[in-house]
Amino acid sequence: GENVEQHPSTLSVQEGDSAVIKCTYSDSASNYFPWYKQELGKRPQLIIDIRSNVGEKKDQRIAVTLNKTAKHFSLHITETQPEDSAVYFCAAFDPQRGTYKYIFGTGTRLKVLA
Amino acid sequence: DTGVSQDPRHKITKRGQNVTFRCDPISEHNRLYWYRQTLGQGPEFLTYFQNEAQLEKSRLLSDRFSAERPKGSFSTLEIQRTEQGDSAMYLCASSSRDKRAGANVLTFGAGSRLTVL
């Protein structure tokens, strides 16, 4: 089955700097890769996603890149702000054998220092 | 329909008791998922329904756990004879394959936090 690895587990950046979080997946059949932001005590919220037919997607300060050959995808946050501090999870959507599981990474705790 | 609803939000129980959680998904979503999340970890897949059919159960789901989705609408997750290791946040999420509903976008509920004493 699918396995998703996420790095780093913690990341501290100065306000205004960029942050990059990387994930790798194992199943080449996975075709949808969402990123979630989870603030303390709250539900995971979708912030951006990418499908396997594109290599990059951007939404204001957030972008995601996908390398299908290498089976890795990354989240890029530019001009970080204190409110970006949260735990970020990547996920891979595995449609094999007619089931539709989302497998999550272990999370990255991002701290934006003012 | 404001999203995925879960009830109760918090449950404290004694070891050995049974607990049941309810999830109401987004109405047009035919897929419903249960995940478990412990502190500092990502959501772990427990089980998944497409309409009323339970299509997959994780090996994490022991025989003390059972989930149902009668009529393909709300779902319940029951834990029998709870153990301290069951303490976690139980997240429900739903999605749809319909492009008009945002194909495969997974929306989470706020979760049900279980504490087993």
Side-chain angles (χ1 to χ4, degrees):
Chain A
E2 178 64 278
N3 182 52
V4 176
E5 294 189 356
Q6 183 171 347
H7 300 281
S9 57
T10 60
L11 179 60
S12 293
V13 298
Q14 291 292 326
E15 182 178 359
D17 287 350
S18 296
V20 180
I21 303 170
K22 299 181 179 181
C23 288
T24 60
Y25 61 99
S26 60
D27 188 350
S28 57
S30 291
N31 61 9
Y32 172 65
F33 306 92
W35 285 90
Y36 287 82
K37 175 183 180 182
Q38 187 175 29
E39 297 177 72
L40 189 63
K42 296 190 176 180
R43 73 189 75 191
Q45 296 267 19
L46 178 72
I47 56 171
I48 196 168
D49 55 14
I50 191 167
R51 300 182 190 272
S52 59
N53 59 345
V54 298
E56 184 173 359
K57 183 177 178 180
K58 189 173 182 180
D59 182 5
Q60 299 183 338
R61 298 186 296 108
I62 296 173
V64 56
T65 59
L66 171 65
N67 183 327
K68 288 192 297 182
T69 303
K71 290 189 281 189
H72 65 70
F73 56 112
S74 300
L75 177 71
H76 305 252
I77 306 174
T78 58
E79 301 172 18
T80 53
Q81 301 168 2
E83 52 265 37
D84 295 328
S85 296
V87 180
Y88 292 81
F89 295 100
C90 62
F93 178 61
D94 181 357
Q96 66 177 349
R97 296 192 300 275
T99 66
Y100 298 88
K101 289 194 301 186
Y102 300 77
I103 304 300
F104 284 82
T106 50
T108 297
R109 181 173 299 279
L110 174 64
K111 296 181 184 178
V112 180
L113 307 172
Chain B
D1 188 345
T2 56
V4 179
S5 300
Q6 292 189 245
D7 183 71
R9 294 289 309 279
H10 304 275
K11 179 71 176 179
I12 300 173
T13 191
K14 293 182 179 179
R15 188 177 54 188
Q17 297 296 303
N18 300 342
V19 296
T20 300
F21 302 118
R22 175 180 170 126
C23 173
D24 288 88
I26 293 173
S27 57
E28 60 264 32
H29 285 185
N30 62 333
R31 296 178 188 150
L32 186 148
Y33 299 80
W34 285 98
Y35 282 85
R36 181 170 64 188
Q37 187 177 32
T38 53
L39 197 62
Q41 298 297 314
E44 294 177 296
F45 172 80
L46 293 179
T47 191
Y48 148 73
F49 291 84
Q50 179 156 300
N51 300 313
E52 66 276 8
Q54 187 174 20
L55 296 187
E56 186 165 349
K57 291 174 60 172
S58 166
R59 287 189 296 271
L60 294 173
L61 221 61
S62 75
D63 56 8
R64 296 185 298 105
F65 289 70
S66 62
E68 294 181 341
R69 194 185 182 195
K71 304 178 183 178
S73 55
F74 71 92
S75 175
T76 57
L77 176 68
E78 182 182 16
I79 309 174
Q80 295 182 327
R81 305 181 303 281
T82 51
E83 302 173 356
Q84 288 184 327
D86 297 331
S87 296
M89 176 73 84
Y90 290 85
L91 292 166
C92 177
S94 66
S95 73
S96 170
R97 63 181 177 183
D98 186 344
K99 290 183 180 179
R100 291 169 298 178
N104 300 328
V105 173
L106 191 66
T107 302
F108 282 92
S112 293
R113 181 169 296 282
L114 174 65
T115 302
V116 182
L117 302 176

